[in-house]
Amino acid sequence: MSEAGGGRGSGSPVPQRAPWSLVAATAALCLVSATSVGTAVAAPMSREEKQKLGNQVLEMFDHAYGNYMEHAYPADELMPLTCRGRVRGQEPSRGDVDDALGKFSLTLIDSLDTLVVLNKTKEFEEAVRKVLRDVNLDNDVVVSVFETNIRVLGGLLGGHSLAIMLKEKGEYMQWYNDELLQMAKQLGYKLLPAFNTTSGLPYPRINLKFGIRKPEARTGTETDTCTACAGTLILEFAALSRFTGATIFEEYARKALDFLWEKRQRSSNLVGVTINIHTGDWVRKDSGVGAGIDSYYEYLLKAYVLLGDDSFLERFNTHYDAIMRYISQPPLLLDVHIHKPMLNARTWMDALLAFFPGLQVLKGDIRPAIETHEMLYQVIKKHNFLPEAFTTDFRVHWAQHPLRPEFAESTYFLYKATGDPYYLEVGKTLIENLNKYARVPCGFAAMKDVRTGSHEDRMDSFFLAEMFKYLYLLFADKEDIIFDIEDYIFTTEAHLLPLWLSTTNQSISKKNTTSEYTELDDSNFDWTCPNTQILFPNDPLYAQSIREPLKNVVDKSCPRGISRVREESFRSGAKPPLRARDFMATNPEHLEILKKMGVSLIHLKDGRVQLVQHAIQVRLFHDSKEGGYWSDMRFISLQTRGFVASSKPYNGCSELTNPEAVMGKIALIQRGQCMFAEKARNIQNAGAIGGIVIDDNEGSSSDTAPLFQMAGDGKDTDDIKIPMLFLFSKEGSIILDAIREYEEVEVLLSDKAKDRDLEMENEEQPSSENDSQNQSAEQIISISQAVDLVDQESPEESSLNSHPESLSPADSDNAASLSPSEQTSNPTEDRETTSLDGECTDLDNQLQEQSETEEDSNPNVSWGKKVQPIDSILADWNEDIEAFEMMEKDEL
């Protein structure tokens, strides 16, 4: 992310920035005038405390950088847990993550301009000498074009930019003669063969020594690349052309951007995640602002700021309008399908979208930036770090955190825009969490699981390139920095490029006349400084008023209920219960508590921990059941059984006209036209005991569709007491076909699929001819994963905001299976499971009591007979594990 400012100071021999470009370049900076009203929001942080925090950032950088230089250099990265360097080929392969490593001392190059920003000029000079002496760019290694561009080429150009600045000041780098620039030019030519495609989009990988397609290259057969991979080149390549006068680099990068623009989906003006580099066909047609697309949008706006080409701003504005129309659902940013932008494509958000509030600051759109940033901050306060991915109800989806800097970046720019001391406190929290949870003797270690606090033996180069830069700038005053930061723009890797490049070596046409632009209402895209009276309308509490409704958005979506009696006992001195988020799998005391609850611990292969309760082993049954030992868990069996009936209207979006038909039955309703919570209330008011929502997207199936969960309407859903289930079209057709064939169909809604053969052993066979006839006229369908809207508080249904599992593909056969005989018993299982992923499992007390009554009154329950093997339990988690494995293939 970048911050842009005016031209270079007077007296500089470098040309001044053109006035037309200066207006946009200062768009974010002019927001600083709002400081006078923003500072009234919270007590200002004293100069002394800011200096203390700034010095703390310097010490943290020294700890990370010093350990890299001592234990890892000249390797690409430090392995902080084992205090050694990570060398490509000498460590087990991590897949695509290793494509950033090229045996070119990556961390050192990526840290060059950070040294200058942190006022470590002597260390910078020494580092430049090491790069020139030791780094080899002609290695026989296959690297990512995208990562090599933003980290290595960008690092060399950022180092060169500040080297010539220091040389101009006359104290340091007097010996420097553009050596870093020559290395950058050499690397640029090594990357150019990747663009040898009919589309102009680059191959995703290249061999530094042998290029593309040669037998020795071991690359060049790929057909797909991500949009960000092809669209995040223009700043570095254009800067290289402007610095050297070699126009070929900027030309290639522009051609790639032009092609992506032409391939946008014209009706939605969105782009997909992955594209075929030869045909231009979209391979992955989902669209968002996170992984795979993020920096494409960033570079369109910054290319306008740096290069002054109006076409880049027009493209960005077109995309931004589509983003705010379809993807932005404040405070959430949810992926959609490019062809059906009203249809959500994902069940979760990834951590890389945390850069977007900062980009919105540069755009001048402050309100949604504040909202999304606050939502992300609430997630961080819950988990200490931003998980690599989290669901729309703020549960952990992917638990890793590789010390990403995007949230710190947005925090810095929001502080620059508002002057609100609140963001200084946010930065202080980030510093404290890094030192408390990520700091190790040899540096800072990435989090393997934010829930357990376990570490991973990695410290990526971007941690030094970006995190410490943004944190230091957040607390620094202008006099703390030895140069004017406003004279530079930040690349996506936070490398600094001077704004005066906009008027240097301009041999490229500034207007792309080959592209047609969608006409937009420019009232939302004024190319001037935003009016602070609009941003802060005479109200010093404006920013706070935006944040306030989001303060408890994470906790509200995941309530933790404790009975009043037990709460009073906690106040009187009794030990409070163990919370799921505080559980540590290595803590003997915690394990003993689980043992008393009859809970065993299973380590899943995806790194998570699954808890399985064996009711027969419970020592303190009352405590285990009431959550006395574990405040976040309830071990109950949720089952609802009844005949089904179609509601009228079928969409369930208004008062039912056939309440007598659904009274005491499970209502069938069609998805669409209103929120799930509204459907639930309407059928509940008509007397239904449950609801099944069937997808209106014909042909959809749990075999191919992403995991999905019905959401609430953002309001209190405590009034909804009936269970609700979502079925895709294929699974729903099983019920609809049964209704057409038989007079009545009975359905069992359960929290997990039943073993039909086992249940049949407990069923009584029909003993009369009438029973036999009734049996043939009725069908029983067992459906798993009923969704209780009581615990679902998310935004609106029409955009499919929340998607945990309603019916997993692994369970679909059993979950919607037809049985030729009527069940006469309702056995319950001895095991109910929950996963340690930060989710809540509080359920309505009424449902718990109902379940207990059913268990007590059922003589057919046999705990010993119904024990399932571990494989059967793990089968319920197949989809989660598959999703985790897919993560390893994604280029986050």
Side-chain angles (χ1 to χ4, degrees), residues 528-736:
T528 58
C529 289
N531 186 330
T532 57
Q533 292 303 311
I534 296 176
L535 294 173
F536 302 93
N538 301 317
D539 183 2
L541 300 178
Y542 177 74
Q544 183 180 6
S545 69
I546 297 174
R547 291 192 301 265
E548 194 62 33
L550 303 171
K551 287 291 186 183
N552 299 313
V553 65
V554 173
D555 288 334
K556 282 184 177 180
S557 71
C558 198
R560 298 184 179 91
I562 302 177
S563 67
R564 185 175 304 172
V565 174
R566 301 194 69 82
E567 189 172 354
E568 290 175 356
S569 70
F570 301 153
R571 293 198 187 109
S572 65
K575 187 176 181 180
L578 174 64
R579 296 177 300 176
R581 66 177 181 179
D582 297 329
F583 174 77
M584 298 292 289
T586 57
N587 188 316
E589 182 181 349
H590 293 179
L591 295 177
E592 179 61 24
I593 291 175
L594 292 187
K595 189 175 181 181
K596 290 180 180 179
M597 297 169 64
V599 175
S600 61
L601 184 146
I602 300 173
H603 291 276
L604 300 181
K605 65 181 182 181
D606 63 4
R608 295 187 310 164
V609 175
Q610 182 177 352
L611 306 178
V612 181
Q613 186 188 37
H614 309 260
I616 196 171
Q617 299 176 5
V618 175
R619 294 190 212 162
L620 299 173
F621 187 73
H622 179 271
D623 280 323
S624 72
K625 209 168 53 169
E626 294 297 329
Y629 276 91
W630 194 302
S631 64
D632 299 47
M633 295 171 54
R634 298 291 183 271
F635 296 100
I636 68 169
S637 178
L638 174 63
Q639 299 186 64
T640 299
R641 178 172 170 171
F643 292 96
V644 296
S646 295
S647 62
K648 293 181 181 180
Y650 190 32
N651 59 32
C653 291
S654 59
E655 183 178 351
L656 267 59
T657 59
N658 64 334
E660 69 287 346
V662 301
M663 175 74 70
K665 297 182 179 179
I666 296 173
L668 299 179
I669 43 183
Q670 188 179 48
R671 174 186 167 198
Q673 300 186 36
C674 67
M675 302 176 189
F676 285 124
E678 185 176 349
K679 298 176 187 289
R681 290 189 179 97
N682 287 331
I683 64 172
Q684 178 176 275
N685 292 338
I689 60 174
I692 299 176
V693 181
I694 299 177
D695 194 5
D696 59 346
N697 185 13
E698 187 174 354
S700 65
S701 168
S702 62
D703 296 328
T704 56
L707 301 181
F708 178 80
Q709 176 181 324
M710 292 177 288
D713 54 3
K715 303 176 183 177
D716 186 2
T717 55
D718 287 344
D719 60 313
I720 301 176
K721 305 298 183 184
I722 61 175
M724 295 288 291
L725 176 82
F726 177 88
L727 290 181
F728 290 102
S729 175
K730 178 182 175 182
E731 289 73 29
S733 65
I734 297 175
I735 298 179
L736 298 178

